[in-house]
Amino acid sequence: MEKMKLIEEELLINSQSFKDISSIAKRLSEILEIGDILFLKGSIGAGKSFFARCIIREYLNISKVYEDIPSPTFSLVQTYDNIKPKVCHVDLYRISFSSELEEIGLNNIYENFLTIVEWPERLGKKIPDTFIQIEFKDCHKNYDERNLKISLVGINRKDIRSFLKHLKNDIGVLIWDLYFMILKLL
């Protein structure tokens, strides 16, 4: 049987610069915590790794820890357990088989870290019940801008809903829909 998820809220943000995206990441980092799962979707070069690095850099700065933030493209998993919250950055681009997912041990990671996952569509049927998803789309008008689609799936935290509401008001979002619909995930 296919997994069904309820999208509780969705926010579309059009034409955001890298500076704006960095600001959104910083603001989101203020409310994320251990156990939260952030999915970053989009084509190669869409800004997923940039967004993840912005969040991780924020936690490193707050913790006064200075280290590189390498892409986990080849290692698949990069952990930062010397900061609060502990962060695990996962890049599933090179995953081909579900057996490889078992080797990573995502369920244990989800419980013990704030988990940021690039290429979450590679999870197949191993999608968790709750997550925040941000989809990055190139803005055809300008190479340096992106359209973002932020979805809350199975999340009912006031702080995250408040984040979306304030984001809408502060950035002047063009489209805001609060609706319930079923999202079919593979």
Side-chain angles (χ1 to χ4, degrees), residues 38-97:
L38 179 61
F39 285 167
L40 304 178
K41 289 181 75 172
S43 60
I44 292 175
K48 300 178 301 296
S49 293
F50 174 78
F51 192 85
R53 283 186 179 111
C54 288
I55 289 175
I56 295 164
R57 185 168 290 110
E58 197 59 32
Y59 295 133
L60 289 169
N61 289 340
I62 290 168
S63 299
K64 297 186 182 344
V65 175
Y66 304 98
E67 66 179 75
D68 258 348
I69 306 173
S71 172
T73 300
F74 294 101
S75 63
L76 302 181
V77 176
Q78 182 70 37
T79 59
Y80 301 88
D81 52 7
N82 56 345
I83 59 176
K84 295 215 186 258
K86 297 186 302 185
V87 177
C88 184
H89 184 189
V90 181
D91 187 329
L92 299 177
Y93 181 73
R94 297 181 56 223
I95 292 289
S96 301
F97 304 103

Side-chain angles (χ1 to χ4, degrees), residues 2 11 15 23 36 47 58 63-64 66 71 89 108 112 138 142 150 157 166 168 171:
E2 294 180 55
L11 174 65
S15 301
S23 174
D36 287 340
E58 197 59 32
S63 299
K64 297 186 182 344
Y66 304 98
S71 172
H89 184 189
N108 188 41
N112 297 299
D138 291 336
N142 186 339
I150 303 173
R157 283 190 12 218
H166 287 103
K168 171 202 170 257
I171 294 181

Side-chain angles (χ1 to χ4, degrees), residues 8-182:
E8 294 168 353
E9 293 188 29
E10 184 174 273
L11 174 65
L12 302 175
I13 306 172
N14 293 320
S15 301
Q16 296 300 299
S17 69
F18 284 108
K19 181 179 177 186
D20 295 334
I21 290 171
S22 177
S23 174
I24 292 168
K26 180 178 179 174
R27 290 171 66 180
L28 183 59
S29 74
E30 295 170 1
I31 58 171
L32 293 173
E33 54 193 41
I34 288 179
D36 287 340
I37 302 166
L38 179 61
F39 285 167
L40 304 178
K41 289 181 75 172
S43 60
I44 292 175
K48 300 178 301 296
S49 293
F50 174 78
F51 192 85
R53 283 186 179 111
C54 288
I55 289 175
I56 295 164
R57 185 168 290 110
E58 197 59 32
Y59 295 133
L60 289 169
N61 289 340
I62 290 168
S63 299
K64 297 186 182 344
V65 175
Y66 304 98
E67 66 179 75
D68 258 348
I69 306 173
S71 172
T73 300
F74 294 101
S75 63
L76 302 181
V77 176
Q78 182 70 37
T79 59
Y80 301 88
D81 52 7
N82 56 345
I83 59 176
K84 295 215 186 258
K86 297 186 302 185
V87 177
C88 184
H89 184 189
V90 181
D91 187 329
L92 299 177
Y93 181 73
R94 297 181 56 223
I95 292 289
S96 301
F97 304 103
S98 61
S99 61
E100 293 173 291
L101 290 172
E102 297 297 325
E103 292 174 24
I104 294 173
L106 281 176
N107 288 336
N108 188 41
I109 290 171
Y110 292 153
E111 295 171 7
N112 297 299
F113 291 87
L114 158 60
T115 309
I116 302 171
V117 180
E118 294 185 49
W119 302 95
E121 54 275 19
R122 305 276 170 114
L123 288 170
K125 294 181 180 182
K126 297 188 183 288
I127 299 279
D129 292 332
T130 62
F131 55 90
I132 301 166
Q133 179 170 284
I134 301 177
E135 187 172 351
F136 297 79
K137 296 183 178 185
D138 291 336
C139 184
H140 299 291
K141 297 182 286 184
N142 186 339
Y143 175 76
D144 292 333
E145 293 183 348
R146 299 291 183 264
N147 294 328
L148 303 180
K149 179 179 174 184
I150 303 173
S151 303
L152 302 182
V153 179
I155 294 192
N156 193 24
R157 283 190 12 218
K158 288 181 182 178
D159 58 344
I160 294 176
R161 291 179 186 277
S162 179
F163 162 77
L164 286 182
K165 181 179 178 182
H166 287 103
L167 192 59
K168 171 202 170 257
N169 293 333
D170 295 348
I171 294 181
V173 176
L174 299 177
I175 302 172
W176 170 256
D177 281 323
L178 172 61
Y179 64 93
F180 292 92
M181 71 182 302
I182 301 297

